[in-house]
Amino acid sequence: MNQHYQNLVQKLEEIAHLNGVMSTLGWDQEVVMPAGAGEARAKQMAALAGVIHERMTDPALGDCLNELKEKNSDRLGEVERCNIREALHSYELETKVPKQLVQELAELSSRGQGIWVMARQENKFSDFAPVLKRFLALKTEWAQRVSPDLNPYDANIDLFERGTTMDMITPIFERLKQELIPLIEAIQNHPQQPDTSFLQGRFALDKQEALARKISQDIGFNIQQGRIDVSVHPFCGGSHPTDVRITTRYKDSDFIESLYSVIHETGHALYEQGRPYEFGDLPASESLTMGIHESQSLFWERMVAQGKPFCSHYFDTIRATFPDNLQSANVDSFYRAINTCKPGFIRVEADEVTYPLHVILRYEIEKGLFDDSMRVDDLPAIWNELMWKYLGITPPTDTLGVLQDSHWSGGAFGYFPSYTLGAIYACQFYTALLSEQPDTEMNIATGNFAPIKDWLNEKIHRQGRLYTPQELVQRVTGEALSPDHFIDYLTTKYSEIYQLG
Amino acid sequence: MNQHYQNLVQKLEEIAHLNGVMSTLGWDQEVVMPAGAGEARAKQMAALAGVIHERMTDPALGDCLNELKEKNSDRLGEVERCNIREALHSYELETKVPKQLVQELAELSSRGQGIWVMARQENKFSDFAPVLKRFLALKTEWAQRVSPDLNPYDANIDLFERGTTMDMITPIFERLKQELIPLIEAIQNHPQQPDTSFLQGRFALDKQEALARKISQDIGFNIQQGRIDVSVHPFCGGSHPTDVRITTRYKDSDFIESLYSVIHETGHALYEQGRPYEFGDLPASESLTMGIHESQSLFWERMVAQGKPFCSHYFDTIRATFPDNLQSANVDSFYRAINTCKPGFIRVEADEVTYPLHVILRYEIEKGLFDDSMRVDDLPAIWNELMWKYLGITPPTDTLGVLQDSHWSGGAFGYFPSYTLGAIYACQFYTALLSEQPDTEMNIATGNFAPIKDWLNEKIHRQGRLYTPQELVQRVTGEALSPDHFIDYLTTKYSEIYQLG
């Protein structure tokens, strides 16, 4: 038994180390790789991906896992059982799908990306529709292979948010629609909108960068085991909890976007830096799901940094950084300005109130495509109809509508719900923290972030993959996932900002 | 036949791509890796090294190679025959050594490095001596395994400078001693030494960096397929001819060191960028030997950039970059100052006249250790005696003497001769270029470097591994390797600078 488990650990750690290498290559490609090296890099990554796939589908790994599964595992601790369970899950995901289907999906992802880029550029959904149709067929077949017991769309969701199904998501999203659509309407109809004029202007990039670095490290980002760089799209990467790398981009016309993007990525980074790698570089030490990851970035970006205590702590520093621009502002006007709510076409630019509706729209479309109640060719019309229904606006082009996201061009169905589940988790965690540590907002207002980071470390990051997301939420907050806190939070906050009756 | 060759190409390209990945990891570690990530990175590199070793010793690769070797290879071109020959050589190097010896060497390298660092720090050769003794025993055994027909030290040299033996090196080094020792003595005894005062002072790092970048790109470094960064020790790395990365370090008290280090690394980089990768990522497209690589860096650093035409082209730019410092200098005084010859203890700081004697000293010691005419315990005394004989100085400590280089702590015996062979090749190539293109110095003086780069590209870089170094030198220069040009060059140049009788 012990020998099998040691054998498993060795195989899993090798895979983890090779994945760390792959991740370093990905960071390098986005941040420092010379422009002309793309073709060589693609071959290097393909070679490494081939090795990793070979290791992950190694029949000896399967034998070892089945041996461990069948034996009585009473003598193993929960970490060991978690490693076996998670490794078996990955092994089955990798081996249950016929090679031809894997190859066709990979080929379509690669080709689909190019077709989507062109279709979006030329505002021509009909060019992209065949890719989407083929993906739906392949992803349905894939789902039947990997999770024959699940509805195909649920199997796709499961890949990003393990154990979460439409049965759980739909009622939550219905509640959100019911509450948020009228809230947004009331905000839009209100005669007084926040003054954001002082957020426009020119903001020197070196000052933006220094400010973002300071705040990221104040919050708890350990720069001895990480980096902050610039890339076209902000992301959190790196190869290990001791090597966590976040990126952002700086625009000289807007410092809020990059500052909050650094705070967002810092939230992801704190999760990665907080992982319990002393368990070994093994599944039990890994981050749980996309939704839980997003909860950590949104916790810091939205719950902490968009709150008034945070604004009151940093306002003087921010004004001292950009004195010409922020002369006329104060803590209160700054807080209101960064919490403006305004429906827009683009998901990634949306505020916290309208964002869930962008996600719900995509969720309903994905659901409709998988249950055949919607047809791919009708998506532009459906998209625009739902945008009007949920946000009261109509995209002038498909480029600004149904073609805006890259997810579908790579076949990532079931990913979108994670964003809003993350926001709900974040709010529920924050509420639990407030009730456990009532001086949290005072800590934030005085720049004392360590108790918050420690709490997240202990309650979430260091739990790795020991529990399902559902179990984790229950353990941390004492209740099941619920949209109530999130709705309360948004309603209270925005009623106050917009002085709604 | 063709099927076997296709099979070989696939295996070799996979290995090349994985080596490219390893090289990216190495660059990352030296240039951008967070300080705290060392342990995780070591594990990642070990996992990847394990995979590469597995691929390189794959019995299926051996079968394929033997199949190709035995069959009549008349129908294959010279590139294909080169790939087979080189792959067979690597395969044999990797497989002829018993696993236990490989492991003991790896373990000793890793441990030896730490012991050497401490011994050097504490000036205690006796702590390092046991490592050296063990290495000699293991490297002798290794040599008997991989090249039973060669003298063990020749087998070690062969690893760095294929086909070159003591029989070839010793007479060349004897000539150098005979000519250079009296030259250095004459220089030292000369009453007038060049004025170098204007090279001292403060030189802003950003200006140094901009100057180095400009000159590197003027020479021909393609920044679309490369990078220039900062690291503790300058090096040329990267993962592919389309991804070549050089580094340097900047000191604000000395701009010559970093500028010439960038030019040196640019010489290596031009070789890498000029490799014929359209042959495929295969052995035939790789750089030839350490000595030939060093010839390319020294060609640009010494033969071109330390020459008067180069100084005359760039002097105004350099003075404009550091106007306060170089006010009193002119082309001639600048040229003399950067060509100062002065014996010193440290090899890596040596000028082009004294450098060969540092190398010869090490070569004679390595030779003596392998043929048992010298004992490890006597090395400090032997070192100091030879330093006195060759350079007229005596290191005050072993830290500044026998303990200065890292090579022996990793078991790299036979590496040192490559440095001076590189200098001789460089001079012989430069002489050939001057005779083929008599307007070369005029081109340099007007900043027209393209004809020089094109000539090196065509004659050397694009030849990959098609020829042995001996064949290459013969083809490029019409004669065998000879120290004559190098001795002429140094004697003429330094007699003029020091106005020797």
Side-chain angles (χ1 to χ4, degrees), chain B residues 11 34 72 125 130 132 145 152 158 194 228 234 248 253 275 444 485:
Chain B
K11 288 177 189 299
N72 187 326
F125 179 77
L132 211 41
R145 297 282 187 173
D158 195 76
I228 306 178
T248 188
S253 60
R275 293 204 280 116
I444 297 173
H485 299 293

Side-chain angles (χ1 to χ4, degrees), chain A residues 28 32 36 54-55 224 245, chain B residues 28 36 54-55 224 245:
Chain A
D28 186 274
V32 292
E54 178 191 289
R55 299 307 208 236
Q224 290 303 307
R245 305 179 183 195
Chain B
D28 186 274
E54 178 191 290
R55 297 306 207 238
Q224 290 303 308
R245 305 180 182 194

Side-chain angles (χ1 to χ4, degrees), chain A residues 342-403:
Chain A
K342 192 169 168 51
F345 303 124
I346 303 299
R347 175 183 57 85
V348 297
E349 296 170 1
D351 58 81
E352 61 183 334
V353 193
T354 57
Y355 198 106
L357 294 160
H358 287 273
V359 166
I360 293 168
L361 176 157
R362 287 154 176 80
Y363 167 73
E364 291 176 345
I365 286 176
E366 291 185 340
K367 193 161 165 290
L369 290 172
F370 274 93
D371 70 15
D372 280 332
S373 64
M374 291 181 193
R375 286 171 3 111
V376 167
D377 295 327
D378 299 334
L379 288 195
I382 294 172
W383 184 284
N384 291 359
E385 188 195 316
L386 291 178
M387 278 299 278
W388 178 253
K389 226 167 111 185
Y390 297 164
L391 291 171
I393 55 177
T394 305
T397 63
D398 290 336
T399 300
L400 295 172
V402 67
L403 285 170

Side-chain angles (χ1 to χ4, degrees), chain B residues 190 192-199 256 260 305-308 311 315 329-342 351-352 493-500:
Chain B
H190 198 267
Q192 264 187 308
Q193 297 293 319
D195 172 19
T196 59
S197 60
F198 50 83
L199 299 182
I256 291 294
Y260 278 78
Q306 285 185 219
K308 214 180 267 177
C311 292
F315 181 72
N330 58 37
V331 174
D332 199 57
S333 64
F334 180 78
Y335 166 71
R336 283 163 200 274
I338 64 161
N339 283 294
T340 302
C341 165
K342 193 171 168 48
D351 58 81
E352 61 183 335
K493 177 173 173 178
Y494 286 85
S495 295
E496 193 266 328
I497 290 174
Y498 284 89
Q499 298 162 317
L500 303 178

Side-chain angles (χ1 to χ4, degrees), chain B residues 1 62-73 84 88 92:
Chain B
M1 182 73 168
D63 293 346
C64 175
L65 282 166
N66 284 316
E67 199 71 43
L68 284 162
K69 190 179 75 172
E70 281 162 24
K71 293 273 165 68
N72 187 326
S73 60
I84 295 169
L88 198 58
E92 291 186 341

Side-chain angles (χ1 to χ4, degrees), chain B residues 470-488:
Chain B
Q470 297 76 35
E471 290 166 348
L472 185 75
V473 171
Q474 185 72 45
R475 291 177 69 100
V476 176
T477 70
E479 52 185 332
L481 177 68
S482 147
D484 294 347
H485 299 293
F486 186 52
I487 288 166
D488 277 358

Side-chain angles (χ1 to χ4, degrees), chain B residues 220-389:
Chain B
F221 185 54
N222 177 358
I223 203 77
Q224 290 303 308
Q225 303 191 330
R227 293 182 57 89
I228 306 178
D229 293 276
V230 170
S231 68
V232 176
H233 300 288
F235 70 99
C236 174
S239 69
H240 190 263
T242 59
D243 180 19
V244 177
R245 305 180 182 194
I246 65 176
T247 71
T248 188
R249 56 188 165 201
Y250 298 101
K251 280 202 296 211
D252 84 338
S253 60
D254 184 354
F255 78 97
I256 291 294
E257 186 187 317
S258 69
L259 178 60
Y260 278 78
S261 136
V262 169
I263 296 169
H264 181 96
E265 300 306 334
T266 300
H268 285 304
L270 295 182
Y271 191 1
E272 289 297 314
Q273 291 191 329
R275 293 204 280 116
Y277 63 94
E278 71 281 8
F279 291 175
D281 294 323
L282 294 167
S285 78
E286 282 174 20
S287 62
L288 189 51
T289 61
M290 298 303 309
I292 297 296
H293 229 305
E294 195 69 10
S295 82
Q296 297 307 291
S297 53
L298 293 175
F299 188 100
W300 287 99
E301 181 193 3
R302 306 265 198 218
M303 305 312 300
V304 176
Q306 285 185 219
K308 214 180 267 177
F310 188 91
C311 292
S312 92
H313 176 61
Y314 278 114
F315 181 72
D316 287 347
T317 305
I318 293 172
R319 187 164 56 183
T321 307
F322 306 114
D324 297 343
N325 311 75
L326 294 178
Q327 225 166 7
S328 68
N330 58 37
V331 174
D332 199 57
S333 64
F334 180 78
Y335 166 71
R336 283 163 200 274
I338 64 161
N339 283 294
T340 302
C341 165
K342 193 171 168 48
F345 303 125
I346 304 300
R347 176 183 57 84
V348 298
E349 295 169 1
D351 58 81
E352 61 183 335
V353 193
T354 57
Y355 198 107
L357 294 160
H358 287 272
V359 166
I360 293 168
L361 176 155
R362 286 155 178 80
Y363 167 73
E364 291 175 344
I365 286 176
E366 291 185 343
K367 194 161 164 290
L369 290 172
F370 274 94
D371 70 16
D372 279 333
S373 64
M374 291 181 192
R375 285 170 3 109
V376 166
D377 294 328
D378 299 334
L379 288 194
I382 294 172
W383 184 284
N384 291 358
E385 189 195 316
L386 291 178
M387 278 298 279
W388 178 253
K389 227 167 110 183

